[in-house]
Amino acid sequence: MADEEKSKSWWQTLPGLIATLTAATTAFAGLLVALKQVGWIGSPQPPAAPAPQQQRSSSAPSPASAAPVVAAAPASPSPAAASHPVALPELREYKLDTATFTLLSATLSPQTAEKDALRIQIRMMNNNAYDANFWDRSFRLTLDGVPMAPESDLNELVPARSAKEGAVLFALPRGTASVKLEISYGNEQTVIPLALAAPR
């Protein structure tokens, strides 16, 4: 009889023990969660990621930081402003061998601080039945008796009985007043004086 009462009392108290353990475990787990959120144990939780709209607005540059404003440098006088046409002689067409050269225009412009550039526009008419060269080798500029080669890269082939236009470029010392243009073709040549002073 005593054994039955002991067994019965043990089974009757077991649910109480389970309930007590469950309550204690729940309370302990709640305490751990609270301590973790406060940051007393473990690493603090990272802040929530911003909404996509906030990310877009923060990544978009503000007008003040979009691009650095560079102050414009004061405009310097353009070399073209000092350019001027060169007066051509009344006779502008020259027949040499099987070609005819026509002076169309001439312009003097600043090239460097010490030099000017003389640009002469010329038309070549090829009167031959064969193609002919239209190139820098046909032109020289004489300054104080010294011939100078062009600095351009004129090198064209003019078909038979047709014409082409091109430009020859010469570099001159600043302040040159006059020069002579020499055109050579075949066995013939001609010399054309040019006054470089700006027209008044």
Side-chain angles (χ1 to χ4, degrees):
M1 291 291 291
D3 291 338
E4 286 183 11
E5 287 180 1
K6 285 183 180 180
S7 176
K8 187 176 181 181
S9 63
W10 184 80
W11 283 108
Q12 285 178 346
T13 58
L14 183 60
L17 289 173
I18 293 175
T20 303
L21 287 173
T22 303
T25 303
T26 303
F28 184 71
L31 179 62
L32 286 178
V33 169
L35 291 177
K36 189 170 184 181
Q37 286 181 349
V38 171
W40 286 5
I41 61 172
S43 59
Q45 287 187 343
Q53 183 177 1
Q54 293 177 343
Q55 287 181 343
R56 285 197 298 270
S57 62
S58 63
S59 62
S62 61
S65 62
V69 178
V70 180
S76 57
S78 171
S83 302
H84 66 268
V86 174
L88 296 176
E90 293 184 8
L91 180 62
R92 300 184 184 184
E93 191 171 284
Y94 307 90
K95 189 176 186 310
L96 302 173
D97 204 344
T98 59
T100 302
F101 295 89
T102 305
L103 302 185
L104 302 176
S105 64
T107 306
L108 190 67
S109 306
Q111 186 180 49
T112 66
E114 300 176 351
K115 290 187 177 182
D116 289 334
L118 177 62
R119 185 180 186 273
I120 306 174
Q121 190 75 17
I122 302 174
R123 179 192 303 124
M124 175 184 171
M125 175 68 191
N126 179 16
N127 303 312
N128 203 345
Y130 305 99
D131 296 350
N133 287 335
F134 181 29
W135 51 9
D136 283 344
R137 290 178 59 181
S138 299
F139 306 96
R140 291 293 182 268
L141 201 69
T142 303
L143 174 61
D144 296 332
V146 180
M148 297 183 300
E151 293 189 352
S152 46
D153 55 357
L154 178 62
N155 189 4
E156 298 282 346
L157 194 63
V158 183
R161 294 180 295 278
S162 61
K164 275 191 178 181
E165 294 182 8
V168 287
L169 185 70
F170 297 93
L172 305 172
R174 177 67 50 81
T176 301
S178 62
V179 291
K180 294 179 181 179
L181 176 65
E182 180 182 310
I183 305 177
S184 302
Y185 190 80
N187 296 322
E188 299 181 5
Q189 67 179 21
T190 186
V191 178
I192 308 160
L194 298 175
L196 305 182
R200 296 182 179 274

